mmCIF file of all heavy atoms in Angstrom:
data_model
loop_
_atom_site.group_PDB
_atom_site.id
_atom_site.type_symbol
_atom_site.label_atom_id
_atom_site.label_comp_id
_atom_site.label_asym_id
_atom_site.label_seq_id
_atom_site.Cartn_x
_atom_site.Cartn_y
_atom_site.Cartn_z
ATOM 1 N N LEU A 1 9.392 3.468 8.057
ATOM 2 C CA LEU A 1 8.206 4.308 7.839
ATOM 3 C C LEU A 1 8.310 5.086 6.535
ATOM 4 O O LEU A 1 7.321 5.212 5.792
ATOM 5 C CB LEU A 1 8.013 5.266 9.014
ATOM 6 C CG LEU A 1 7.571 4.617 10.327
ATOM 7 C CD1 LEU A 1 7.607 5.628 11.461
ATOM 8 C CD2 LEU A 1 6.196 3.996 10.196
ATOM 9 N N GLU A 2 9.498 5.587 6.247
ATOM 10 C CA GLU A 2 9.707 6.321 4.988
ATOM 11 C C GLU A 2 9.490 5.400 3.784
ATOM 12 O O GLU A 2 8.857 5.788 2.792
ATOM 13 C CB GLU A 2 11.115 6.901 4.965
ATOM 14 C CG GLU A 2 11.412 7.727 3.731
ATOM 15 C CD GLU A 2 12.832 8.282 3.722
ATOM 16 O OE1 GLU A 2 13.486 8.309 4.786
ATOM 17 O OE2 GLU A 2 13.283 8.684 2.629
ATOM 18 N N MET A 3 10.000 4.170 3.878
ATOM 19 C CA MET A 3 9.832 3.214 2.781
ATOM 20 C C MET A 3 8.361 2.855 2.590
ATOM 21 O O MET A 3 7.874 2.773 1.460
ATOM 22 C CB MET A 3 10.649 1.950 3.082
ATOM 23 C CG MET A 3 10.593 0.898 2.014
ATOM 24 S SD MET A 3 11.345 1.491 0.492
ATOM 25 C CE MET A 3 10.814 0.213 -0.642
ATOM 26 N N ARG A 4 7.635 2.671 3.682
ATOM 27 C CA ARG A 4 6.216 2.333 3.575
ATOM 28 C C ARG A 4 5.428 3.498 2.985
ATOM 29 O O ARG A 4 4.529 3.294 2.168
ATOM 30 C CB ARG A 4 5.655 1.934 4.948
ATOM 31 C CG ARG A 4 4.204 1.452 4.883
ATOM 32 C CD ARG A 4 4.073 0.213 4.011
ATOM 33 N NE ARG A 4 2.693 -0.206 3.836
ATOM 34 C CZ ARG A 4 1.995 -0.063 2.715
ATOM 35 N NH1 ARG A 4 2.549 0.530 1.655
ATOM 36 N NH2 ARG A 4 0.756 -0.499 2.618
ATOM 37 N N ASP A 5 5.762 4.726 3.393
ATOM 38 C CA ASP A 5 5.098 5.902 2.822
ATOM 39 C C ASP A 5 5.347 5.999 1.323
ATOM 40 O O ASP A 5 4.437 6.319 0.549
ATOM 41 C CB ASP A 5 5.574 7.182 3.516
ATOM 42 C CG ASP A 5 5.024 7.339 4.919
ATOM 43 O OD1 ASP A 5 4.048 6.634 5.261
ATOM 44 O OD2 ASP A 5 5.572 8.158 5.680
ATOM 45 N N LEU A 6 6.589 5.729 0.907
ATOM 46 C CA LEU A 6 6.922 5.765 -0.521
ATOM 47 C C LEU A 6 6.123 4.713 -1.291
ATOM 48 O O LEU A 6 5.587 4.993 -2.369
ATOM 49 C CB LEU A 6 8.424 5.534 -0.700
ATOM 50 C CG LEU A 6 8.944 5.549 -2.134
ATOM 51 C CD1 LEU A 6 8.703 6.897 -2.796
ATOM 52 C CD2 LEU A 6 10.423 5.195 -2.161
ATOM 53 N N MET A 7 6.025 3.518 -0.725
ATOM 54 C CA MET A 7 5.223 2.473 -1.376
ATOM 55 C C MET A 7 3.765 2.897 -1.495
ATOM 56 O O MET A 7 3.124 2.657 -2.517
ATOM 57 C CB MET A 7 5.307 1.160 -0.585
ATOM 58 C CG MET A 7 6.573 0.392 -0.787
ATOM 59 S SD MET A 7 6.502 -1.218 0.037
ATOM 60 C CE MET A 7 5.319 -2.073 -1.004
ATOM 61 N N GLU A 8 3.240 3.520 -0.455
ATOM 62 C CA GLU A 8 1.843 3.963 -0.465
ATOM 63 C C GLU A 8 1.612 5.002 -1.562
ATOM 64 O O GLU A 8 0.568 4.994 -2.219
ATOM 65 C CB GLU A 8 1.473 4.540 0.903
ATOM 66 C CG GLU A 8 0.079 5.125 0.987
ATOM 67 C CD GLU A 8 -1.035 4.104 0.846
ATOM 68 O OE1 GLU A 8 -0.816 2.912 1.127
ATOM 69 O OE2 GLU A 8 -2.135 4.509 0.425
ATOM 70 N N GLN A 9 2.593 5.881 -1.775
ATOM 71 C CA GLN A 9 2.463 6.888 -2.823
ATOM 72 C C GLN A 9 2.549 6.268 -4.215
ATOM 73 O O GLN A 9 1.797 6.634 -5.119
ATOM 74 C CB GLN A 9 3.559 7.944 -2.676
ATOM 75 C CG GLN A 9 3.414 8.815 -1.443
ATOM 76 C CD GLN A 9 4.639 9.670 -1.201
ATOM 77 O OE1 GLN A 9 5.384 9.983 -2.125
ATOM 78 N NE2 GLN A 9 4.861 10.050 0.048
ATOM 79 N N GLU A 10 3.482 5.321 -4.385
ATOM 80 C CA GLU A 10 3.717 4.752 -5.706
ATOM 81 C C GLU A 10 2.762 3.611 -6.045
ATOM 82 O O GLU A 10 2.443 3.396 -7.214
ATOM 83 C CB GLU A 10 5.167 4.269 -5.810
ATOM 84 C CG GLU A 10 6.165 5.414 -5.767
ATOM 85 C CD GLU A 10 7.596 4.953 -5.986
ATOM 86 O OE1 GLU A 10 7.835 3.731 -6.077
ATOM 87 O OE2 GLU A 10 8.477 5.829 -6.074
ATOM 88 N N ARG A 11 2.335 2.856 -5.036
ATOM 89 C CA ARG A 11 1.449 1.713 -5.274
ATOM 90 C C ARG A 11 0.380 1.663 -4.191
ATOM 91 O O ARG A 11 0.410 0.797 -3.316
ATOM 92 C CB ARG A 11 2.256 0.413 -5.270
ATOM 93 C CG ARG A 11 3.249 0.302 -6.400
ATOM 94 C CD ARG A 11 4.003 -1.008 -6.332
ATOM 95 N NE ARG A 11 3.117 -2.143 -6.457
ATOM 96 C CZ ARG A 11 3.390 -3.369 -6.007
ATOM 97 N NH1 ARG A 11 4.520 -3.623 -5.399
ATOM 98 N NH2 ARG A 11 2.537 -4.352 -6.171
ATOM 99 N N PRO A 12 -0.574 2.589 -4.235
ATOM 100 C CA PRO A 12 -1.608 2.586 -3.202
ATOM 101 C C PRO A 12 -2.511 1.352 -3.323
ATOM 102 O O PRO A 12 -2.653 0.780 -4.405
ATOM 103 C CB PRO A 12 -2.394 3.871 -3.473
ATOM 104 C CG PRO A 12 -2.157 4.157 -4.924
ATOM 105 C CD PRO A 12 -0.780 3.639 -5.230
ATOM 106 N N GLY A 13 -3.098 0.963 -2.210
ATOM 107 C CA GLY A 13 -4.024 -0.162 -2.216
ATOM 108 C C GLY A 13 -5.239 0.119 -3.081
ATOM 109 O O GLY A 13 -5.638 1.274 -3.247
ATOM 110 N N GLN A 14 -5.813 -0.942 -3.613
ATOM 111 C CA GLN A 14 -6.948 -0.802 -4.533
ATOM 112 C C GLN A 14 -8.236 -1.354 -3.929
ATOM 113 O O GLN A 14 -8.929 -2.143 -4.541
ATOM 114 C CB GLN A 14 -6.637 -1.522 -5.854
ATOM 115 C CG GLN A 14 -5.403 -1.017 -6.564
ATOM 116 C CD GLN A 14 -5.528 0.442 -6.970
ATOM 117 O OE1 GLN A 14 -6.536 0.864 -7.504
ATOM 118 N NE2 GLN A 14 -4.499 1.227 -6.690
ATOM 119 N N GLY A 15 -8.540 -0.966 -2.725
ATOM 120 C CA GLY A 15 -9.797 -1.376 -2.113
ATOM 121 C C GLY A 15 -9.618 -2.474 -1.087
ATOM 122 O O GLY A 15 -8.529 -3.019 -0.895
ATOM 123 N N VAL A 16 -10.711 -2.806 -0.430
ATOM 124 C CA VAL A 16 -10.685 -3.719 0.705
ATOM 125 C C VAL A 16 -10.144 -5.099 0.358
ATOM 126 O O VAL A 16 -9.527 -5.772 1.182
ATOM 127 C CB VAL A 16 -12.095 -3.825 1.344
ATOM 128 C CG1 VAL A 16 -13.068 -4.536 0.412
ATOM 129 C CG2 VAL A 16 -12.030 -4.516 2.685
ATOM 130 N N TRP A 17 -10.332 -5.548 -0.894
ATOM 131 C CA TRP A 17 -9.888 -6.889 -1.280
ATOM 132 C C TRP A 17 -8.465 -6.911 -1.822
ATOM 133 O O TRP A 17 -7.968 -7.959 -2.227
ATOM 134 C CB TRP A 17 -10.872 -7.514 -2.273
ATOM 135 C CG TRP A 17 -12.185 -7.793 -1.597
ATOM 136 C CD1 TRP A 17 -13.343 -7.095 -1.739
ATOM 137 C CD2 TRP A 17 -12.443 -8.807 -0.633
ATOM 138 N NE1 TRP A 17 -14.308 -7.618 -0.928
ATOM 139 C CE2 TRP A 17 -13.781 -8.678 -0.235
ATOM 140 C CE3 TRP A 17 -11.666 -9.826 -0.056
ATOM 141 C CZ2 TRP A 17 -14.379 -9.518 0.699
ATOM 142 C CZ3 TRP A 17 -12.253 -10.665 0.874
ATOM 143 C CH2 TRP A 17 -13.590 -10.506 1.251
ATOM 144 N N ASP A 18 -7.802 -5.761 -1.820
ATOM 145 C CA ASP A 18 -6.368 -5.729 -2.106
ATOM 146 C C ASP A 18 -5.687 -6.079 -0.788
ATOM 147 O O ASP A 18 -5.397 -5.208 0.031
ATOM 148 C CB ASP A 18 -5.936 -4.356 -2.605
ATOM 149 C CG ASP A 18 -4.462 -4.285 -2.970
ATOM 150 O OD1 ASP A 18 -3.697 -5.200 -2.578
ATOM 151 O OD2 ASP A 18 -4.067 -3.314 -3.631
ATOM 152 N N LEU A 19 -5.483 -7.352 -0.578
ATOM 153 C CA LEU A 19 -5.006 -7.837 0.713
ATOM 154 C C LEU A 19 -3.528 -7.562 0.929
ATOM 155 O O LEU A 19 -3.026 -7.713 2.038
ATOM 156 C CB LEU A 19 -5.291 -9.334 0.846
ATOM 157 C CG LEU A 19 -6.772 -9.691 0.755
ATOM 158 C CD1 LEU A 19 -6.957 -11.198 0.718
ATOM 159 C CD2 LEU A 19 -7.555 -9.082 1.896
ATOM 160 N N LYS A 20 -2.847 -7.139 -0.102
ATOM 161 C CA LYS A 20 -1.418 -6.876 0.011
ATOM 162 C C LYS A 20 -1.128 -5.432 0.382
ATOM 163 O O LYS A 20 -0.387 -5.165 1.326
ATOM 164 C CB LYS A 20 -0.724 -7.239 -1.306
ATOM 165 C CG LYS A 20 0.780 -7.065 -1.275
ATOM 166 C CD LYS A 20 1.409 -7.545 -2.572
ATOM 167 C CE LYS A 20 2.922 -7.381 -2.538
ATOM 168 N NZ LYS A 20 3.543 -7.826 -3.795
ATOM 169 N N LEU A 21 -1.694 -4.491 -0.340
ATOM 170 C CA LEU A 21 -1.249 -3.101 -0.252
ATOM 171 C C LEU A 21 -2.131 -2.174 0.566
ATOM 172 O O LEU A 21 -1.696 -1.087 0.929
ATOM 173 C CB LEU A 21 -1.086 -2.524 -1.657
ATOM 174 C CG LEU A 21 0.011 -3.173 -2.508
ATOM 175 C CD1 LEU A 21 -0.037 -2.653 -3.934
ATOM 176 C CD2 LEU A 21 1.381 -2.935 -1.905
ATOM 177 N N THR A 22 -3.380 -2.548 0.857
ATOM 178 C CA THR A 22 -4.223 -1.650 1.633
ATOM 179 C C THR A 22 -3.704 -1.545 3.063
ATOM 180 O O THR A 22 -3.025 -2.443 3.549
ATOM 181 C CB THR A 22 -5.684 -2.132 1.656
ATOM 182 O OG1 THR A 22 -5.722 -3.482 2.095
ATOM 183 C CG2 THR A 22 -6.347 -2.003 0.310
ATOM 184 N N PRO A 23 -3.991 -0.430 3.745
ATOM 185 C CA PRO A 23 -3.557 -0.294 5.140
ATOM 186 C C PRO A 23 -4.016 -1.495 5.978
ATOM 187 O O PRO A 23 -5.165 -1.918 5.902
ATOM 188 C CB PRO A 23 -4.236 1.004 5.595
ATOM 189 C CG PRO A 23 -4.366 1.799 4.328
ATOM 190 C CD PRO A 23 -4.674 0.773 3.257
ATOM 191 N N GLY A 24 -3.078 -2.039 6.755
ATOM 192 C CA GLY A 24 -3.368 -3.224 7.555
ATOM 193 C C GLY A 24 -3.220 -4.518 6.778
ATOM 194 O O GLY A 24 -3.459 -5.604 7.307
ATOM 195 N N GLY A 25 -2.791 -4.416 5.521
ATOM 196 C CA GLY A 25 -2.633 -5.591 4.672
ATOM 197 C C GLY A 25 -1.299 -6.291 4.887
ATOM 198 O O GLY A 25 -0.547 -5.993 5.818
#
């Protein structure tokens, strides 16, 4: 969870079509 939070801070998803980084991606 800590690693995922860090990724979210450093590389947040860029909208619904960012299939890699958006929540649920």
Side-chain angles (χ1 to χ4, degrees):
L1 290 172
E2 182 181 343
M3 182 65 192
R4 185 61 185 107
D5 287 344
L6 180 61
M7 282 186 71
E8 176 66 24
Q9 292 170 25
E10 293 185 355
R11 295 180 62 203
Q14 301 298 314
V16 68
W17 292 105
D18 182 345
L19 300 173
K20 183 176 180 181
L21 295 173
T22 53

